[in-house]
Every structure is written in structure tokens, then in C-alpha cells.
Amino acid sequence: MQVDIRKLSLDDYDELVESMQEAYPDIEDNTWAKRNIQKLTSIFPEGQICITVNGKLVAAALSIIVQYELFGDNHTYEEITGKETFNTHSNNGNVLYGIEVFVHPEYRSLRLGRRLYDARKELCEILNLKSIVIGGRIPNYHAHSAELSPRQYITKVRKKEIYDPVLTFQLSNNFLPIKILKGYLAGDVESEEYAVLLQWNNIYYTQKKNTMKDAVIRLGLVQWQMRPFKDLQEFYQQVEFFVDAISDYESDFCVFPEFFNTPLLAAYNHLHEREAMQELAKMTDEIVNKIAEFAVSYNVNIVAGSMPVVEDGNLYNSSFLLHRDGKRDSFRKIHITPNERKYYGMKGGDELKVFDTDCGKVGILLCYDVEFPELSRLLADQGMKILFVPSLTDTQNGYIRVRACAAARAIENECYVAITGSVGNLPGVSNMDIQYSQAAVFTPSDFAFPSNAIKGEATPNTEMTLIMDVDLNLLKDLHHNGSVQILKDRRTDLYEVNLKR
């Protein structure tokens, strides 16, 4: 007999389904859809483990990583898995959460479940995660519920007076019961929708530097003065000045405005507007590389406003998220303004996603994008807690459009929204001559937040920084206990917002 343990792949799907059907014969909808397995093996391949016996897949364990403080001990299976979208997974999380373990009944005498759990524990240690947490079903409870409460049932299982195929196994693998969860898994008739929250602690865990500790995140917004620069080096000096200043306050993020490098267009003022912007785009890679160095050396995540990018002859407005661990992400403005189209012939991007950071999941929208509520709703559905909106507005009414829409996005999506733009004037650059901005951080509107739903705001049209703390735990509490619960109360039976690609 040959027993092998390895990572699960999408090619294993048919065998996975066959074994799951044998493992759960009495449960309706007892298999994962192929899209679920595709998503899991894509976002976290190491966490999807299977065992084969003589080449046949007979057991598997599926897991995600979560920032556990965002969910706490009182959660449901639907919440922790993001309604089985797994958008709750975060590579920068601190807990390995088990979402599935099964063994084909014909192979249960081989103690394969223990091998899966040993592999999970090893993975937890390798990834330096704090613990493994699971919501364990109690499938034999229905046979005792008439005479025993869930607490009494668990006590008898612990004393080995009652055998429960799931809980008995978890306890034998050194998992400790934390609490009883009611309504954990909808439709779990055997457990009467009860589950036991169980935890295994990694004794080798060391607190990760810069990871979310108490869920308080410090934001540093740069209200950028448009000024001439004689060369690129002078531009870098000004950028570094703000990064240094914001880093000194131990900020987690430093945010620059949209098109904050356009003073460098002055050298190309003799060219047509599009040609000038294409010349500026030639500097983007070098600028991004330099600011990425600042992110690492000053230990702060930088949202590098936006800069022009040329790809396949198309001109895009692109923002860059430069992580303090060296990782890089980017976002291309989706909705192009009439002026961007008229003067520069810019094209909109076609990708929308949240970004995993060491402070949780964040999103980026550029200026005009925030005026389209569908985008931020899709980001919220993917677990976004902070939305950054670098902007560039020339008039006060243009700014008010961005501001009012950003404030609305914070309320309707139960998240924080941070906006910042450029101020002053730039007479030597065509179409960039005047600017108006007032950086601000907006919150949801409920008792735990400021009564005007504004965490803080800068002085209008003055170069300065705005440094604010936001507490992600307040968002979690709002979601469960708010005066209104917007995300929960949506009539998804009547309408929905879908991302087509």
C-alpha cells in the first residue's frame, strides 16, 4: 500500500467529489463546486492538502488564512468564508482556519485524518501563524439533544462518555474548545446548526513585525503642493521629505495624490498634450522603483498616487501600492474623465481587486472612480476595510463631487475612505494649471464613529499632511451590532452587483 500526502490541485477535482460523496452520504449538496476548488488552489495552494492511497484520492483538508481579529470568536461559517467566496483569505493574516476535512469511509482505519492535521500544524508553524482555528460540527448531537444541552453534550464527549466522530477526533488532536457557536452552519441538521469553536496554538509563533495588533491603523495623507521641479532628483527629494515625515509618526500608510508627478510635464510643454503625457510615462518605472525603495527603507506602505503608463500603445492612469515588505501592486483607473479622454486619449483599466496588506485588505479607486458606487461595493464584497482615493481636481465643485461620493461610500460599505489631492497652481504646465483639495478620512455613521462621519480633514488648499488612526474593530462591531446593518440588509434576493470580468 502506497500512502502519499501532497498539495491538492484542480486536476484532482473529480476524485475529490467522489470521495466527498462517500464521506457525506446523508448531507445534501455535499461537494464543493469546481470554482471553489479553483479559487482555493489559486489563492492559497499550500493550504489545500490531500492524501492518496495507491494513487486514489481518499482524504483532504482545505484551509484559508484570516486576520482573526476581524471576525472574532462569534462568527458563522458563511462569514468566515465570505459566503464561500474565500475573499476573507489574507496572506498577511495570523490564523490558519480549517474549512474542510474529510476521509473516505473505507480508509478511516488508516488514521489519515491525523496525518492531515499534522500537515496543517506543520504548515501553521512554517508560516508563523498564531494558531489553527476550526468550527467543529457535532454530528451526533441530534441523537442526544432531547436530554442534553450542547454544553452538556460536549462535556460528555470530553469525558468519553459519548462518541462524536468529529469532536472526539479534534480533541484527540490537542484542539481546545473555546466556545459553542449557535447557527454556525446553516442546514446542518445533524448538529442542529451548533458547532464547537476549537483552537490549536502554535507555541513557536512570534509576533510579526508591523502586522495588525489591536486593529488600529495609522493613515498618513499627503496634501501635495504642485510646484516646479528642475529635475527628477528634486522631485524625489520632495517625495522623500513627506515619506520621512509620515514614517516618523509610525504611520502604516503614506498616500500621495493622483498625477502628483505632473510638474515634470513642464519640460514637454512644447508637445501635444498626449505626446507630453507619453514622455512623462517613460519615467514611471524609474519613479516607482525609487518610491518602492522609500517604502522599504522608511517602513511604510506607500500609495504612490497615480502616474501615466503606456502599454500596447494605450495610455493608462495607474496607481501603485508599494508595500513595506517590498511587494508591489497596481490599479488602473477604470472611469476616464472627459478631459483625460479629450486631451490625453487615455483608456480605462479593466481589473478591480482588493489588496492584501499587513494591515488587512484595502482598495484603491482613482478620483472619478469613486463617483461610481458599484466599484466600492464590489471591493467591500471582497473584504475591503480601507478605501484610498487619490484625486486631482481643479475646482471646488469638482472636489465636492469626489468628497461627497467618498463619504457616501464609507457609510454604505461599512469601511473607512481616505481621500487626498493636490493644491496650489502650476502655470507652466498645460491643463494642470490650478488645483483644489482638502484631504479627509471618512467613516461610517453610527455611535462608535464621529457624529459627522468625518474622522479628520486637512486645511483646504494648503500643503500639509493629515495623520489619522482608524480602528478596524469598530467596523466589525458595526457589521454585527450597528443601528443599521447595510451590508447585511441588502435585498440580494431582489438585486445584485456582479463583476463581469
Side-chain angles (χ1 to χ4, degrees), residues 42-59:
S42 172
I43 63 173
F44 185 32
E46 300 90 342
Q48 321 317 320
I49 306 166
C50 68
I51 293 178
T52 61
V53 177
N54 295 331
K56 178 179 178 172
L57 191 151
V58 297

Side-chain angles (χ1 to χ4, degrees), residues 109-128:
S109 62
L110 299 178
R111 300 168 67 86
L112 301 183
R114 185 174 294 277
R115 293 196 190 204
L116 290 172
Y117 268 71
D118 286 345
R120 263 187 184 168
K121 292 173 183 177
E122 183 180 3
L123 179 64
C124 184
E125 293 172 357
I126 290 172
L127 297 179
N128 188 32

Side-chain angles (χ1 to χ4, degrees), residues 453-498:
I454 302 172
K455 179 67 175 176
E457 53 191 342
T459 303
N461 245 25
T462 301
E463 183 171 53
M464 63 180 294
T465 62
L466 177 66
I467 298 175
M468 287 284 131
D469 286 349
V470 295
D471 189 343
L472 301 189
N473 277 324
L474 296 180
L475 300 181
K476 180 181 68 176
D477 186 64
L478 172 72
H479 182 72
H480 293 289
N481 305 307
S483 299
V484 295
Q485 298 170 28
I486 296 173
L487 292 181
K488 280 186 176 181
D489 290 340
R490 286 177 295 166
R491 284 288 304 278
T492 52
D493 61 315
L494 184 64
Y495 61 85
E496 59 184 2
V497 179
N498 291 318

Side-chain angles (χ1 to χ4, degrees), residues 405-416:
C405 291
R409 303 299 84 89
I411 293 170
E412 66 200 16
N413 293 300
E414 300 175 356
C415 67
Y416 296 105

Side-chain angles (χ1 to χ4, degrees), residues 47-74:
Q48 321 317 320
I49 306 166
C50 68
I51 293 178
T52 61
V53 177
N54 295 331
K56 178 179 178 172
L57 191 151
V58 297
L62 310 179
S63 309
I64 56 176
I65 300 173
V66 297
Q67 188 68 47
Y68 195 72
E69 290 83 355
L70 298 179
F71 302 94
D73 291 340
N74 189 27

Side-chain angles (χ1 to χ4, degrees), residues 319-384:
S319 182
F320 299 88
L321 174 55
L322 307 171
H323 301 251
R324 51 187 163 194
D325 64 0
K327 188 174 72 170
R328 303 184 187 188
D329 286 305
S330 64
F331 166 77
R332 290 178 178 176
K333 189 174 185 177
I334 290 176
H335 296 94
I336 302 303
T337 65
N339 277 350
E340 285 175 306
R341 191 177 295 110
K342 175 181 177 181
Y343 292 109
Y344 306 116
M346 285 192 158
K347 184 176 180 180
D350 57 7
E351 186 176 13
L352 184 70
K353 62 180 179 179
V354 297
F355 303 108
D356 276 329
T357 74
D358 55 10
C359 300
K361 291 179 181 287
V362 306
I364 298 174
L365 294 177
L366 286 172
C367 199
Y368 194 33
D369 281 333
V370 81
E371 298 177 31
F372 298 83
E374 300 87 351
L375 297 186
S376 53
R377 175 51 53 84
L378 289 165
L379 292 174
D381 284 343
Q382 296 179 48
M384 174 196 69

